[in-house]
Amino acid sequence: MSGGALCEPTNSVAPKLDLAGCAPLCPHPVATACTLAADTHGDSHFLSEEQMLVSAITHQHRPTWRSAAVAIVTTLAASLLTSEIGQARAEPGHREVMLVGNNWEGVADIIESTEDFAKIGRINLIPDKDQRLREIYLNPIKLAYFLGIRETVGEGHDQYIDDMYTAPDGSAIVVSRPSFADVVSVDSGTGQVKWRFPVSGNRADHMAVSPDGSRIAVSASTSNTVHVLDIDNGTELGTFATGDKPHENVFTTDNKIWNMAIGEVNTGLDHPALDFTKGDRKITIADATTFKVIKTIDMRERLDAFGQPSLSDAVRPVAFTPDESKMYFQVSFFNGFLEYDVVTDTILRLAELPKNPKTSNERNTYVNDSRHHGMSMNPSGNKLCIAGTMDDYATVVDRATLTAGPLVPAAKPYWATVSGDGKACVISESAADQVSVIDFATGNKVTSIPVGDHPQRIRIGNLPQGWKTPPA
């Protein structure tokens, strides 16, 4: 083995792999094997050449890569887009911040979006908890779903925060709350609820904000519906139907909303032979003004054509290139991701990332069917940041070659986003109650910031200059 050095753990909160303070695992850009560090008990282990291989499988009919043209288009597009679609830079009188949603606690930590990512304050996003619980316990159907969420997707906990964005003027934080099956706007100054929208069905999930910041799209995961709301007053502007269990939403700059339906992820029927029990998994693309469905994409057909019939067609987190011509996506049960050409409607490449030898290959041990869950792309479009959830690491991947950089130890990382200046990837370590910052240029960890109970979603937002934690 070469290209890495064994080192002892230096973090007090250590996942299965601990490389904090170590040199990069793969300093050579084409290294296929690297040394892993001591685990939390001090016993060293290595990954084999096969386990550490990061493979870029290219479809035999893939169009010729025209790197110069792509580089020009990507650079131009990156200059027009911010690090996250729909997240405008702070206006005068406001400050750009980073929101960290602590799902099991119901409180969001507010931290700096760049530099040292220092803590600014906290805000309770379930100020109406007692009222909601009274309603739930007086309604047998609501109670059944509430307890069901706790025992399945909640891993024994109530899910209070799935996703959140700030209003354009920074006056409120809008949050989807799975266990309460709603979306609420919480006043950033007083901490009180400004408006509430109960979603159809019994669980709210991922959201997205429109490029101008005026609208929110939220998945109602038990009714197979996406609601589009006015961010200022919660008025429903429209809906559209999706596949089973709508999950992530993305507004694109051509006035479309992409929704990814992941199917049933809460049963133990995870063997490939039982794949038919997972339901209708597909991407639904709707017009963002009329909410008419324009197109649906069944990745099963595309995966089969690409020669990957064994991969799940449940599309999880995605990341678009700055010009939105390519989409990278994760799928259930898989340690890696795929590249999809939006224009030609074909899968081009597959990247298989390292497996942690301490992670079971039993599918029913993965949280909500996700082996890897979380990805983002830097503004220039040449690096991807991947959260290797069940494999307890995050890594920065070169988009041109699909080769992974250092494997940064992380305790069940569940999301990846981009810092306000675009220089770093920020991941939520849900099992360590912290977020960690990884430099896009080097692939190395810069710092970690302790947050609340089970951080998941991380978003860039704007709050008034001088904002402080609201009074309790």
Side-chain angles (χ1 to χ4, degrees), residues 211-406:
D212 66 359
S214 68
R215 292 162 293 157
I216 287 284
V218 59
S219 290
S221 56
T222 65
S223 68
N224 301 342
T225 301
V226 168
H227 299 276
V228 182
L229 312 177
D230 184 299
I231 199 169
D232 288 327
N233 54 36
T235 300
E236 183 178 80
L237 304 175
T239 66
F240 61 92
T242 68
D244 292 334
K245 295 294 180 69
H247 194 53
E248 185 164 19
N249 295 291
V250 178
F251 278 90
T252 50
T253 55
D254 58 352
N255 198 45
K256 294 182 178 66
I257 305 172
W258 290 53
N259 175 268
M260 293 66 175
I262 59 175
E264 183 55 64
V265 299
N266 307 132
T267 71
L269 305 177
D270 294 333
H271 190 278
L274 299 174
D275 186 72
F276 68 93
T277 67
K278 295 293 185 178
D280 182 17
R281 292 150 294 175
K282 63 186 178 185
I283 296 173
T284 302
I285 304 173
D287 184 285
T289 302
T290 66
F291 313 112
K292 179 181 178 180
V293 173
I294 300 168
K295 182 179 181 179
T296 59
I297 300 171
D298 182 355
M299 279 299 177
R300 176 76 281 135
E301 299 169 6
R302 280 80 175 167
L303 288 164
D304 291 349
F306 183 66
Q308 294 292 329
S310 63
L311 283 185
S312 170
D313 59 352
V315 176
R316 311 306 289 260
V318 304
F320 283 89
T321 53
D323 65 358
E324 297 176 349
S325 66
K326 303 286 192 305
M327 181 183 75
Y328 295 82
F329 65 96
Q330 295 168 315
V331 296
S332 291
F333 309 116
F334 182 55
N335 52 296
F337 61 92
L338 298 102
E339 178 186 66
Y340 170 79
D341 189 296
V342 175
V343 177
T344 64
D345 191 15
T346 55
I347 295 173
L348 303 180
R349 295 186 292 171
L350 176 150
E352 183 174 1
L353 299 180
K355 292 181 177 180
N356 182 344
K358 290 194 171 184
T359 298
S360 171
N361 286 319
E362 292 296 324
R363 290 182 166 205
N364 59 12
T365 64
Y366 303 160
V367 175
N368 301 323
D369 291 356
S370 295
R371 181 151 191 163
H372 288 186
H373 188 284
M375 66 191 311
S376 62
M377 184 177 294
N378 66 342
S380 60
N382 63 351
K383 298 286 182 67
L384 285 156
C385 180
I386 306 297
T389 309
M390 300 306 298
D391 288 305
D392 281 336
Y393 68 78
T395 188
V396 173
V397 176
D398 181 87
R399 189 167 77 87
T401 63
L402 299 188
T403 54

Side-chain angles (χ1 to χ4, degrees), residues 12 41 80-81 88 142 155 179 244 282 346 354 378 404 406 411 418 458:
S12 59
H41 303 291
L80 298 174
L81 298 177
K142 287 184 178 181
E155 304 174 68
S179 288
D244 292 334
K282 63 186 178 185
T346 55
N378 66 342
V418 179
I458 309 171

Side-chain angles (χ1 to χ4, degrees), residues 115-186:
E115 302 295 336
D116 62 358
F117 299 87
K119 281 190 174 182
I120 300 170
R122 313 190 84 207
I123 184 167
N124 177 17
L125 296 181
I126 50 171
D128 56 337
K129 177 181 177 181
D130 291 344
Q131 181 181 353
R132 300 282 79 83
L133 289 177
R134 279 195 298 271
E135 293 173 355
I136 288 168
Y137 278 92
L138 290 173
N139 185 314
I141 295 176
K142 287 184 178 181
L143 179 59
Y145 274 96
F146 178 80
L147 296 176
I149 291 169
R150 176 187 294 174
E151 296 307 319
T152 56
V153 291
E155 304 174 68
H157 301 266
D158 298 325
Q159 291 194 311
Y160 294 127
I161 300 175
D162 188 276
D163 216 338
M164 76 232 115
Y165 290 96
T166 55
D169 63 0
S171 64
I173 298 174
V174 178
V175 54
S176 59
R177 309 188 298 184
S179 288
F180 293 159
D182 64 10
V183 178
V184 297
S185 174
V186 176

Side-chain angles (χ1 to χ4, degrees), residues 43-64:
D43 53 316
S44 308
H45 62 272
F46 298 90
L47 289 186
S48 68
E49 296 284 331
E50 179 181 4
Q51 289 166 328
M52 286 298 299
L53 180 64
V54 179
S55 60
I57 302 173
T58 304
H59 193 281
Q60 59 181 344
H61 299 303
R62 180 170 65 89
T64 302

